[in-house]
Amino acid sequence: DAGVTQSPTHLIKTRGQHVTLRCSPISGHKSVSWYQQVLGQGPQFIFQYYEKEERGRGNFPDRFSARQFPNYSSELNVNALLLGDSALYLCASSSPTGRTEAFFGQGTRLTVV
Amino acid sequence: AQSVTQPDIHITVSEGASLELRCNYSYGATPYLFWYVQSPGQGLQLLLKYFSGDTLVQGIKGFEAEFKRSQSSFNLRKPSVHWSDAAEYFCAVRGYNKLIFGAGTRLAVHP
């Protein structure tokens, strides 16, 4: 079975631009979460989606938004990019309840110049 | 507030030596605890998890961790480190609808 897949793997954007990152969860997983990992730090929670509804949101500005599609894939959108948005963006899928772990994709490395 | 502390930013060990990476958590209820490993530029791979029951849990790649409620700790151990274990290790606790990660411990392995 395929794991969590993210696209693109790398991209470079200019300050003020908009970016869309994509994630496909493991087959059968209905919950997708997004994390931001700045160099040298642990991942920070951005969003969790389950059944196309937002179930959790971290301490990120409104420039960050996400959505989940009927096939449970997800997009993370960031508007008006800042230099500080440069990071590895990780997507994780899991079953939403019970004793289950989160499985992570390889991430998208975003560089804002 | 829920939090995870990994006191050691960098650790260097010799190949074949034993390893212990420290993790302390702050969480009001019974914690669900995890250790992940991350190679440079890669995503996170789950090493092991603790939900309940036996406080000593076994994971992949020969790793184990011990949950100590009295010390709010979940330290990761390996009896003999291999050069391929060089990576960054993250401890995490499950909060409400999210994982809360520590800052990570970077492990270097000398031949």
Side-chain angles (χ1 to χ4, degrees):
Chain A
D1 282 343
V4 178
T5 57
Q6 293 186 242
S7 63
T9 55
H10 297 82
L11 74 165
I12 299 174
K13 290 287 189 178
T14 303
R15 279 177 296 176
Q17 285 188 317
H18 163 271
V19 69
T20 298
L21 310 181
R22 295 177 175 83
C23 172
S24 294
I26 291 171
S27 177
H29 284 184
K30 300 181 179 180
S31 176
V32 170
S33 299
W34 288 94
Y35 291 80
Q36 182 196 63
Q37 186 180 18
V38 174
L39 195 63
Q41 298 182 18
Q44 297 294 316
F45 172 73
I46 310 175
F47 287 109
Q48 191 215 18
Y49 274 78
Y50 172 63
E51 292 284 11
K52 297 176 290 181
E53 290 188 4
E54 181 182 304
R55 296 300 182 95
R57 183 185 184 110
N59 187 24
F60 281 82
D62 292 343
R63 299 185 295 107
F64 288 77
S65 64
R67 56 178 175 168
Q68 187 177 33
F69 300 99
N71 66 354
Y72 304 113
S73 67
S74 177
E75 284 183 353
L76 175 69
N77 295 283
V78 187
N79 292 324
L81 284 166
L82 304 174
L83 294 179
D85 295 330
S86 296
L88 181 68
Y89 288 84
L90 295 164
C91 175
S93 76
S94 63
S95 295
T97 59
R99 299 178 175 185
T100 60
E101 59 268 37
F103 296 87
F104 284 82
Q106 294 302 293
T108 293
R109 171 69 64 186
L110 171 64
T111 302
V112 182
V113 297
Chain B
Q2 302 159 0
S3 65
V4 174
T5 301
Q6 294 181 246
D8 305 304
I9 298 175
H10 295 278
I11 285 184
T12 300
V13 299
S14 298
E15 191 168 17
S18 63
L19 171 70
E20 182 169 29
L21 302 183
R22 296 183 290 165
C23 171
N24 293 98
Y25 67 89
S26 173
Y27 190 73
T30 300
Y32 290 174
L33 295 160
F34 308 86
W35 275 99
Y36 286 88
V37 62
Q38 185 178 40
S39 298
Q42 299 298 309
L44 302 174
Q45 181 183 22
L46 180 69
L47 285 176
L48 46 77
K49 62 195 176 194
Y50 172 79
F51 292 141
S52 68
D54 194 347
T55 57
L56 185 64
V57 294
Q58 302 297 319
I60 62 171
K61 303 184 180 185
F63 285 92
E64 66 178 26
E66 186 171 13
F67 170 61
K68 293 185 177 180
R69 184 186 299 274
S70 63
Q71 299 177 19
S72 297
S73 70
F74 188 56
N75 293 349
L76 182 71
R77 301 194 294 246
K78 186 169 184 178
S80 177
V81 171
H82 188 262
W83 64 266
S84 60
D85 293 325
E88 187 139 24
Y89 292 80
F90 293 95
C91 180
V93 64
R94 180 188 285 177
Y96 182 71
N97 286 344
K98 64 181 178 182
L99 288 172
I100 301 160
F101 287 88
T105 297
R106 180 164 298 279
L107 174 66
V109 180
H110 280 180

